[in-house]
């Protein structure tokens, strides 16, 4: 089948905030213990952090990592993770029914994130705790010296402040599963007061207030409204969380799930803007999609994992080829909404529903989903272009008018490069793609990389995993036009230089 993408040079839709390529490390499963931290592994540095994992994380170029949870956050005492390791308490983590030793805490994690060239997006516990613990944590991390908590940080070896810019006001506080779950009224009031004191300690920080845990929560919509009514002038971002899956094993419907993400984002933007109008505010609230991914492979099997052990191997979804295609569609959707989505976190980063997997005492490797994320993070920098797509469409049980061609165009003006990210959703037909790039003097094709031709259920289960991108074939340039063939069921990245 044929499809066309049309754009004009200089017609910029939005600049991309690089934090859209963020990720997430929670104290749960084998994310921290047995993931990034494994002192007995021969690959680990003198602090116990795995060098091989650091390399895979660095290659993803993740600018920001959310920490320390997740559901874990709502029962966590941040003070348990500071000071001499041998004096730290071992606790029950009620959220994941795990033993938490606190060997890794604030300093260790911030040091690690520095090494992988990421900032930390720090969460404050608004489940079992409140404004006092929140303000103390900001003082500990961001105040220079001469006060109780800043001097405590210095006594623990960090003379200069950590300078954490982005903070989450709790986690999924609407969820009945959440420790200390709240009504929208209760949470809105608490988040407002916590936000005030946190910004009194450091006025330069930015705050993310909790939206709904998933778009299907019964309180979705009213939760966002009430919470923003209380917090609008004190916060900067509203969070969205969403996980997708293919439990029905229907590929065409699964590939269309990104339309749900698009609808969710646009709905939340509408709610934010309605509160802005109601408050006659000049301030715009943007979005932090700080948990998104595929999560369904382990939903049942995880129930059988023994409770109350350290590093229970939870949520270790093994991703396949079709999951990678869906991740590609979701990444494209985040970019297409980059005018309002300023932060997004692939949840999570290592072992727990993650692109990177480690073996206890052994190797680490890349899941299928690693590749589209890595390519978009590495090359999807600059501006999203306004574009028009002409593509045939199909219907599924959940979605009408699904375009076979999903795509977004990015202009990296610094590198003088146009990048096309595209998924062909057709199970059996290639797409003859024509790109009308008006105003661009195209010079050369830098890369056409494609992930295609695998069994939908094929996984990467070791270092030699086969599901990885390969050469996509020819891209023909003719004046302001480019032509390429996108294979059926394929993820594609085309990079074209211009003058
Ligand atoms: O990412 C796994 C869990 O999913 C997080 O702890 C929680 O916030 C969400 O429900």
């Amino acid at each position: 089948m044929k499809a066309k993408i049309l754009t004009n040079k200089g017609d910029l839709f939005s600049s991309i905030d690089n934090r859209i390529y963020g990720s997430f490390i929670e104290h749960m499963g084998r994310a921290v213990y047995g993931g990034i931290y494994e002192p007995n592994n021969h690959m680990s540095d003198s602090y116990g952090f795995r060098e091989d994992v650091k390399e895979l994380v660095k290659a993803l170029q993740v600018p920001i990592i959310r920490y320390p949870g997740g559901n874990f956050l709502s029962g966590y005492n941040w003070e348990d993770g500071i000071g001499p390791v041998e004096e730290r308490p071992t606790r029950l983590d009620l959220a994941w029914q795990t033993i938490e030793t606190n060997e890794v805490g604030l300093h260790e994690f911030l040091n690690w994130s520095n090494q992988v060239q990421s900032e930390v997006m720090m969460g404050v516990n608004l489940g079992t705790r409140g404004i006092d613990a929140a303000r103390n944590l900001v003082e500990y991390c961001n105040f220079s010296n001469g006060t109780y908590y800043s001097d405590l940080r210095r006594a623990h070896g960090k003379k200069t402040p950590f300078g954490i810019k982005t903070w989450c006001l709790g986690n999924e506080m609407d969820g009945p599963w959440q420790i200390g779950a709240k009504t929208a009224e209760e949470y809105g009031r608490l988040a407002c007061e916590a936000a005030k004191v946190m910004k009194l300690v450091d006025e330069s920080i930015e705050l993310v207030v909790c939206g709904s845990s998933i778009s299907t929560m019964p309180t979705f919509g009213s939760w966002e409204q009430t919470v923003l009514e209380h917090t609008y002038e004190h916060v900067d971002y509203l969070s969205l969380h969403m996980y997708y899956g293919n439990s029905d094993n229907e590929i065409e419907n699964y590939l269309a799930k990104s339309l749900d993400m698009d609808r969710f984002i646009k709905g939340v933007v509408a709610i934010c803007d309605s509160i802005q109008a109601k408050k006659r505010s000049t301030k715009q609230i943007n979005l932090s999609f700080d948990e998104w991914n595929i999560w369904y492979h382990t939903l049942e099997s995880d129930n059988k994992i023994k409770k109350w052990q350290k590093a229970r191997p939870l949520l270790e979804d093994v991703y396949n080829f079709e999951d990678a295609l869906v991740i590609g569609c979701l990444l494209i959707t985040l970019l297409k909404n980059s005018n309002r989505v300023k932060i997004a976190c692939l949840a999570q980063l290592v072992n727990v529903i993650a692109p990177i997997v480690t073996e206890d005492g052994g190797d680490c490797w890349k899941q299928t989903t690693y590749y589209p994320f890595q390519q978009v993070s590495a090359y999807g920098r600059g501006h999203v272009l306004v574009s028009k797509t002409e593509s045939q469409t199909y219907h599924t049980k959940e979605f009408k008018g699904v375009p076979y061609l999903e795509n977004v165009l990015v202009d990296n003006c610094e590198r003088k490069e146009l990048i096309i990210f595209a998924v062909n959703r057709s199970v059996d037909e290639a797409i003859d793609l024509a790109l009308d790039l008006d105003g661009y003097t195209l010079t050369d094709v830098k890369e056409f990389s494609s992930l295609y031709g695998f069994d939908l259920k094929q996984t990467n289960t070791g270092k030699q995993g086969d599901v990885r991108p390969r050469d996509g074939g020819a891209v023909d340039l003719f004046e302001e036009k480019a032509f390429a063939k996108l294979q059926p069921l394929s993820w594609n990245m085309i990079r074209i230089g211009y003058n």
Side-chain angles (χ1 to χ4, degrees):
M1 77 181 88
K2 290 188 189 312
K4 196 180 240 190
I5 307 172
L6 304 98
T7 192
N8 291 297
K9 190 171 183 190
D11 202 355
L12 306 179
F13 169 69
S14 159
S15 76
I16 300 165
D17 188 323
N18 292 338
R19 292 175 302 172
I20 207 168
Y21 306 124
S23 191
F24 177 29
I25 290 274
E26 176 166 4
H27 277 250
M28 70 158 296
R30 295 191 310 121
V32 175
Y33 307 110
I36 61 171
Y37 178 79
E38 197 189 6
N40 296 329
N41 191 296
H42 70 284
M43 293 299 298
S44 293
D45 64 18
S46 54
Y47 300 100
F49 287 89
R50 286 183 64 154
E51 297 284 10
D52 52 349
V53 176
K54 280 189 229 169
E55 289 313 309
L56 291 188
V57 174
K58 270 197 263 178
L60 284 179
Q61 301 185 43
V62 181
I64 193 161
I65 302 178
R66 188 164 173 255
Y67 176 83
N71 296 339
F72 171 79
L73 175 66
S74 298
Y76 181 54
N77 299 331
W78 67 266
E79 301 89 338
D80 291 348
I82 58 171
V85 174
E86 58 285 2
E87 289 171 22
R88 294 184 194 169
T90 292
R91 301 268 192 201
L92 294 178
D93 161 22
L94 299 178
W96 298 106
Q97 300 184 298
T98 298
I99 299 297
E100 171 59 56
T101 60
N102 286 302
E103 286 158 78
V104 173
L106 199 70
H107 290 251
E108 292 81 17
F109 189 77
L110 281 151
N111 190 33
W112 176 83
S113 64
N114 202 23
Q115 290 180 14
V116 296
Q117 288 138 27
S118 302
E119 280 179 29
V120 169
M121 179 178 180
M122 184 67 83
V124 297
N125 172 357
L126 294 186
T128 57
R129 305 192 78 186
I131 64 175
D132 196 38
R135 65 161 179 169
N136 293 343
L137 179 55
V138 179
E139 181 183 322
Y140 187 91
C141 292
N142 287 9
F143 203 77
S144 58
N145 65 299
T147 65
Y148 178 78
Y149 284 105
S150 59
D151 285 346
L152 189 59
R153 181 198 70 239
R154 289 165 63 84
H156 292 152
K158 183 74 170 77
K159 299 292 177 213
T160 54
F162 288 115
I164 298 173
K165 285 186 226 138
T166 319
W167 296 76
C168 298
L169 294 161
N171 176 69
E172 296 189 349
M173 300 308 301
D174 60 330
W177 60 87
Q178 200 67 213
I179 297 171
K182 296 183 171 42
T183 64
E185 281 289 337
E186 290 165 345
Y187 173 66
R189 284 291 305 123
L190 178 59
C192 172
E193 295 306 320
K196 276 161 55 184
V197 295
M198 289 166 76
K199 284 195 173 175
L200 282 172
V201 178
D202 181 353
E203 64 182 6
S204 72
I205 61 175
E206 290 196 318
L207 298 176
V208 182
V209 72
C210 291
S212 296
S213 302
I214 37 172
S215 63
T216 50
M217 291 299 285
T219 49
F220 170 66
S222 65
W223 171 272
E224 280 76 4
Q225 277 171 349
T226 307
V227 167
L228 286 177
E229 290 277 3
H230 285 292
T231 58
Y232 200 91
E233 294 303 335
H234 302 285
V235 302
D236 304 280
Y237 306 93
L238 179 69
S239 78
L240 295 82
H241 290 182
M242 196 67 203
Y243 295 96
Y244 294 99
N246 188 18
S247 313
D248 302 336
N249 198 17
E250 291 177 21
I251 183 63
E252 292 197 321
N253 193 55
Y254 187 36
L255 288 170
K257 297 275 181 183
S258 57
L259 275 68
D260 177 81
M261 181 192 241
D262 189 64
R263 192 165 53 204
F264 183 28
I265 292 171
K266 292 192 163 67
V268 175
V269 166
I271 295 168
C272 291
D273 291 351
S274 76
I275 304 296
Q276 179 184 11
K278 199 168 162 201
K279 287 186 174 285
R280 299 179 193 84
S281 174
T282 52
K283 177 180 176 183
Q284 179 176 279
I285 297 286
N286 285 317
L287 307 189
S288 172
F289 211 127
D290 46 43
E291 286 190 34
W292 70 272
N293 205 345
I294 288 155
W295 173 12
Y296 79 104
H297 295 285
T298 55
L299 287 177
E300 279 177 24
S301 54
D302 273 5
N303 293 327
K304 299 184 195 119
I305 297 172
K306 189 171 159 279
K307 292 180 182 167
W308 307 123
Q309 50 168 325
K310 186 183 164 189
R312 295 175 72 203
L314 296 170
L315 279 64
E316 299 208 1
D317 282 39
V318 177
Y319 293 119
N320 56 33
F321 172 52
E322 66 184 21
D323 296 330
L325 296 176
V326 174
I327 288 290
C329 292
L330 297 173
L331 283 160
I332 289 172
T333 305
L334 290 170
L335 281 171
K336 290 204 298 195
N337 288 284
S338 58
N339 59 331
R340 296 304 289 270
V341 179
K342 298 296 170 187
I343 304 171
C345 302
L346 176 70
Q348 300 190 8
L349 188 54
V350 181
N351 286 333
V352 174
I353 41 173
I356 299 168
V357 175
T358 70
E359 218 170 59
D360 288 341
D363 271 341
C364 65
W365 63 86
K366 303 169 184 172
Q367 296 236 48
T368 61
T369 53
Y370 184 97
Y371 294 101
F373 187 87
Q374 189 269 326
Q375 291 186 323
V376 180
S377 175
Y379 295 106
R381 311 255 172 165
H383 288 85
V384 169
L385 285 165
V386 174
S387 64
K388 189 173 160 231
T389 300
E390 293 172 4
S391 162
Q392 290 177 42
T393 58
Y394 66 93
H395 300 319
T396 71
K397 64 175 186 196
E398 276 184 89
F399 304 99
K400 298 259 174 305
V402 183
Y404 283 106
L405 174 64
E406 185 60 85
N407 75 92
V408 68
L409 302 192
V410 172
D411 185 342
N412 186 328
C413 310
E414 271 173 32
R415 295 217 291 233
K416 293 206 165 236
E417 199 172 293
L418 262 180
I419 308 99
I420 299 102
F421 298 110
V423 171
N424 177 358
R425 290 190 173 103
S426 170
V427 293
D428 49 16
E429 266 193 74
I431 290 178
D432 285 319
L433 174 64
L435 290 144
D436 273 13
L437 307 167
D438 283 0
Y440 284 99
T441 307
L442 306 175
T443 55
D444 57 327
V445 178
K446 296 184 184 300
E447 185 178 1
F448 177 13
S449 159
S450 183
L451 191 65
Y452 71 97
F454 301 100
D455 185 279
L456 287 171
K457 306 298 177 189
Q458 191 167 337
T459 58
N460 288 345
T461 46
K463 248 196 153 88
Q464 302 311 320
D466 290 334
V467 185
R468 57 178 67 201
R470 54 179 124 162
D471 182 30
V475 180
D476 296 320
L477 304 185
F478 183 71
E479 296 178 343
E480 299 177 355
K481 296 186 194 306
F483 302 89
K485 189 185 275 298
L486 309 184
Q487 298 299 324
L489 294 174
S490 61
W491 156 259
N492 305 277
M493 178 182 75
I494 301 173
R495 299 194 292 122
I496 304 174
Y498 65 84
N499 269 329

